[in-house]
Amino acid sequence: MKRHRVHKEKTDIAHSIDWNGLIPKHIAIMMDGNGRWATRRGLPRSAGHYAGMQTMRETISMCHKNGITSLTLYAFSTENWKRPKEEVDYIISLVVEFVQDATVQELNQNNIKVHFIGDISRFPEETQEAMHKVVKLTQANSGMAVYFAMNYGGKNDIVQAIKSYIEVNIEQNKDTSEISEAEFETFLYTGLNPAPDLLIRTSGEKRLSNFLLWQAAYSELWFTDVMWPDFNEQLLYESIRDYQQRKQRALDDITT
Ligand code: FPP
């Protein structure tokens, strides 16, 4: 009975979206609350991260199914190194676990292309190899792009972009005194695909926490109290419906 009700709500929300109208093309997610999810169940925090990885896998599939073209996931921040070594090591080990053959096969079946953003050189060799492997094995895909933010920080992104910009321009003997916003942002880790239309954060926190500081300048923000491992399709639909309603209101305000 309960299962039936949940399914009905889910489809009602999906039906309240105009799928030919304004749909976010690029969604970014701050997957927060794994630790609290586990602690509330009397489980170690690692169990929360494992469950979070499964939800991440399902979310990639849901976004693909619903026509989202880019998905950026905040998986490991520059601040996350401050956590106990055991927890850091566990989260990092999940990357290798994620890049099992089965996952790569699924990504390829769904035509999904994987990218990593952030300074991945700080990760162990084995992890970097796994990252390069999944990027290489999915690089020919032309469907949805998934960006995993790993050792990513928005401030660090801006600083590394400034350094690269100067380096490239000095190499080519170009004048660095004039720079446009459009030119600058191509040097960010997100390259030619910078701005999320919709940024979701789970677990009730309402901060940007150094995620996509430049790129999220005009993003619609959507928050839920639900912990990341419990994120589901119904919540994804709610966020898309709210995004669409806000955008429609903004259009109505301009035209009336
Ligand atoms: C935030 O919850 C979550 C993280 C720091 C890690 C997120 C990682 C994954 C979902 C898996 C990553 C896997 C791959 C393959 C990239 P939290 O620990 O801050 O939760 P809390 O705020 O309740 O403590």
Side-chain angles (χ1 to χ4, degrees):
M1 184 64 193
K2 195 167 170 237
R3 275 174 76 106
H4 177 72
R5 199 167 53 236
V6 169
H7 180 69
K8 187 173 177 303
E9 273 169 20
K10 198 186 282 181
T11 49
D12 283 351
I13 290 176
H15 286 312
S16 69
I17 297 170
D18 171 7
W19 291 99
N20 295 313
L22 277 164
I23 301 294
K25 290 193 188 76
H26 183 170
I27 297 184
I29 309 184
M30 303 174 74
M31 308 180 287
D32 200 8
N34 292 347
R36 277 165 285 168
W37 180 92
T39 308
R40 283 175 193 176
R41 285 164 175 75
L43 299 168
R45 291 176 61 84
S46 57
H49 294 311
Y50 187 79
M53 182 183 68
Q54 302 297 0
T55 302
M56 186 181 82
R57 213 188 281 268
E58 286 158 20
T59 304
I60 293 172
S61 176
M62 282 183 241
C63 285
H64 159 74
K65 200 179 82 187
N66 287 293
I68 305 304
T69 56
S70 303
L71 177 65
T72 303
L73 299 163
Y74 205 9
F76 194 90
S77 74
T78 45
E79 287 73 29
N80 283 155
W81 295 106
K82 294 185 197 133
R83 295 186 178 206
K85 186 174 178 326
E86 200 189 345
E87 182 172 349
V88 167
D89 288 349
Y90 184 74
I91 298 175
I92 293 174
S93 77
L94 288 179
V95 180
V96 182
E97 166 122 18
F98 178 78
V99 186
Q100 302 153 349
D101 287 349
T103 306
V104 173
Q105 255 179 34
E106 198 183 321
L107 292 167
N108 283 335
Q109 268 162 13
N110 290 331
N111 198 19
I112 294 170
K113 188 168 177 157
V114 170
H115 306 261
F116 287 91
I117 58 169
D119 178 10
I120 63 165
S121 68
R122 191 167 165 185
F123 291 110
E125 278 296 313
E126 184 203 18
T127 316
Q128 289 185 49
E129 274 168 26
M131 290 168 167
H132 290 306
K133 184 177 158 200
V134 69
V135 169
K136 197 164 164 228
L137 292 172
T138 62
Q139 71 184 353
N141 294 339
S142 55
M144 185 173 82
V146 177
Y147 298 81
F148 291 106
M150 295 288 302
N151 192 22
Y152 179 87
K155 289 185 178 180
N156 171 268
D157 193 1
I158 293 168
V159 171
Q160 72 75 30
I162 294 170
K163 285 185 188 161
S164 313
Y165 172 77
I166 294 172
E167 213 174 280
V168 167
N169 281 278
I170 286 180
E171 220 168 71
Q172 297 173 358
N173 280 325
K174 280 194 187 157
D175 177 10
T176 50
S177 59
E178 293 290 323
I179 177 165
S180 69
E181 290 178 9
E183 190 190 356
F184 176 73
E185 69 183 8
T186 62
F187 288 87
L188 293 167
Y189 282 125
T190 39
L192 295 171
N193 190 18
D197 301 301
L198 171 65
L199 190 147
I200 296 172
R201 183 168 189 166
T202 56
S203 93
E205 305 297 342
K206 296 191 174 77
R207 298 184 299 281
L208 265 185
S209 298
N210 206 13
F211 188 39
L212 303 176
L213 296 183
W214 173 289
Q215 296 89 333
Y218 294 102
S219 305
E220 289 293 332
L221 309 179
W222 194 85
F223 303 103
T224 172
D225 288 338
V226 167
M227 301 293 147
W228 174 249
D230 289 332
F231 188 79
N232 57 28
E233 198 161 43
Q234 183 180 345
L235 290 165
L236 180 71
Y237 288 145
E238 266 180 52
S239 71
I240 294 174
R241 184 199 55 194
D242 288 0
Y243 169 88
Q244 186 163 80
Q245 287 173 352
R246 288 188 216 169
K247 287 288 176 195
Q248 194 54 54
R249 268 199 301 274
L251 273 179
D252 293 348
D253 283 350
I254 294 168
T255 50
T256 52

